[in-house]
Amino acid sequence: QIPKDPTQRWLRELTALSQQLQQVHPNVLAKILKQRTVYQNEEIVVIDKPYGLPVHGGPGIKNCIADVLPILAKMLENMKAEPLHLCHRLDKETTGVMVLARSKEAAEKIRLLFKTRQVEKIYWAIVLGDPDPVEGVVEIPIVEKEVQSHQSHYKMTLAPNYRLRPEDGKVVKTRGDRSAERAVTRYRRLAAASACSLLELQPITGVKHQIRVHLAYGLGCPILGDHKYSHWSKLAPQKLPELTLRRLKLEQSKARHLPLHLHAHRLCLPLGQPLDFVCKPPFFFQKTLRKLELDIPKD
């Protein structure tokens, strides 16, 4: 039964987003990924990764991309193909351009390109607030820490190696956390409206959850629907500005259903000649842009 009220209908769609692909048969999932293939040649297959689909398996995960790579390879190659290989990862909630390799050699070559930062990656994110300045680079190391609260959990967080001296506000270097990883993210604002912004992001390094942490804790602009990094000490749904809720026609009590609005928009891979791949944001992301009156830049 489909609700008549468009807001209720949208809420139903959002709630279903993360569950849908966990319920389907692996063959059906492989078929979905086949339909979402944007490019293939003898070395690689590029897919537009759907929302809510983990790349790797884990506790409580029924379906993931890694598990269906052998089935997908057969579907693409008419039955006698070696399984495809993962070259990089995207978070479960991130959508967009993802590269798979047809052989171990190709996978190693592409992993090396990612590791040596020769792959240009451009993401789009809808964030709360407005970054100040509207364009710049966040360069703050990131480390994983345990959050001590009534529900202890682990989160990535900033480990800056500078601090402000309380007596005179001067910037002084501190001893960095040994286990922290260097993390650099370029960003620029593409549009702003409804107490939100659309940002274009270029992660120069590839630390786990880097974009989410840099935006939330570095710029104070968490990604819309990022319930994990909108607070530090608790696990709770994101608190949205009044104007944003009004435009989305949502109540704060339903904010927990909002999906993460982070999309791998473009990827440039220097394989022989540079290969440039672009994936349009998913339907729910475009719908949010419209509701918030954020104008999509024309490429």
Side-chain angles (χ1 to χ4, degrees):
Q1 186 189 345
I2 298 167
K4 282 204 170 66
D5 173 22
T7 305
Q8 287 301 325
R9 208 163 48 231
W10 194 50
L11 206 63
R12 172 86 60 95
E13 284 166 25
L14 295 182
T15 325
L17 257 178
S18 10
Q19 291 149 10
Q20 276 164 344
L21 296 168
Q22 284 301 304
Q23 317 298 345
V24 300
H25 188 278
N27 288 356
V28 176
L29 182 56
K31 208 167 177 179
I32 291 167
L33 295 181
K34 183 188 175 195
Q35 286 161 355
R36 298 178 74 99
T37 299
V38 292
Y39 175 85
Q40 51 179 317
N41 65 14
E42 56 289 341
E43 277 195 299
I44 60 169
V45 172
V46 180
I47 60 167
D48 178 1
K49 180 191 166 298
Y51 184 86
L53 181 62
V55 172
H56 295 283
I61 290 172
K62 268 207 195 116
N63 277 333
C64 67
I65 291 177
D67 288 352
V68 299
L69 291 181
I71 311 170
L72 178 60
K74 283 181 179 160
M75 283 182 177
L76 292 168
E77 278 276 5
N78 314 331
M79 299 315 287
K80 47 177 201 310
E82 68 162 298
L84 292 158
H85 302 264
L86 294 168
C87 303
H88 63 120
R89 55 183 303 164
L90 290 175
D91 286 354
K92 173 185 167 187
E93 291 92 359
T94 307
T95 54
V97 186
M98 188 168 178
V99 181
L100 306 167
R102 288 199 189 268
S103 66
K104 254 200 182 88
E105 300 71 50
E108 274 159 21
K109 190 158 72 175
I110 293 162
R111 280 182 205 134
L112 189 63
L113 291 175
F114 273 98
K115 206 174 167 184
T116 51
R117 307 191 183 127
Q118 295 182 62
V119 180
E120 191 186 337
K121 298 169 285 183
I122 301 287
Y123 287 76
W124 280 4
I126 300 175
V127 301
L128 300 184
D130 207 3
D132 180 20
V134 293
E135 186 168 337
V137 176
V138 182
E139 182 167 355
I140 309 173
I142 288 177
V143 70
E144 189 158 28
K145 286 215 167 121
E146 186 175 7
V147 181
Q148 301 290 348
S149 68
H150 66 290
Q151 271 175 294
S152 278
H153 58 289
Y154 283 88
K155 264 184 189 160
M156 305 305 282
T157 189
L158 302 178
N161 31 26
Y162 292 92
R163 67 180 178 84
L164 293 179
R165 211 160 46 195
E167 52 273 26
D168 56 6
K170 225 174 143 181
V171 174
V172 288
K173 203 164 169 44
T174 57
R175 216 172 80 227
D177 187 320
R178 283 247 171 82
S179 51
E181 290 185 74
R182 180 170 175 256
V184 185
T185 310
R186 259 195 207 129
Y187 73 91
R188 71 185 179 107
R189 190 185 72 187
L190 300 175
S194 317
C196 291
S197 307
L198 172 65
L199 302 187
E200 178 184 87
L201 303 142
Q202 186 183 2
I204 309 298
T205 52
V207 180
K208 178 183 172 187
H209 295 174
Q210 172 182 320
I211 291 176
R212 296 165 66 178
V213 172
H214 271 173
L215 291 182
Y217 302 150
L219 287 173
C221 293
I223 297 176
L224 182 66
D226 195 346
H227 308 292
K228 180 167 187 164
Y229 289 108
S230 292
H231 320 272
W232 167 246
S233 58
K234 55 184 178 180
L235 290 166
Q238 187 175 52
K239 184 104 180 64
L240 297 179
E242 213 40 63
L243 176 59
T244 310
L245 288 168
R246 254 204 329 275
R247 288 273 162 87
L248 291 174
K249 295 192 166 70
L250 267 189
E251 290 158 41
Q252 178 56 46
S253 62
K254 301 281 191 269
R256 67 180 187 279
H257 297 299
L258 270 180
L260 182 77
H261 286 70
L262 177 62
H263 174 68
H265 177 59
R266 196 172 147 224
L267 191 141
C268 190
L269 198 60
L271 270 186
Q273 85 273 37
L275 296 169
D276 211 348
F277 307 109
V278 174
C279 284
K280 274 202 331 223
F283 181 63
F284 77 84
F285 193 115
Q286 294 181 42
K287 204 164 177 178
T288 302
L289 286 173
R290 280 199 302 277
K291 285 175 177 246
L292 295 175
E293 296 174 9
L294 286 164
D295 295 326
I296 298 190
K298 299 278 175 275
D299 273 351

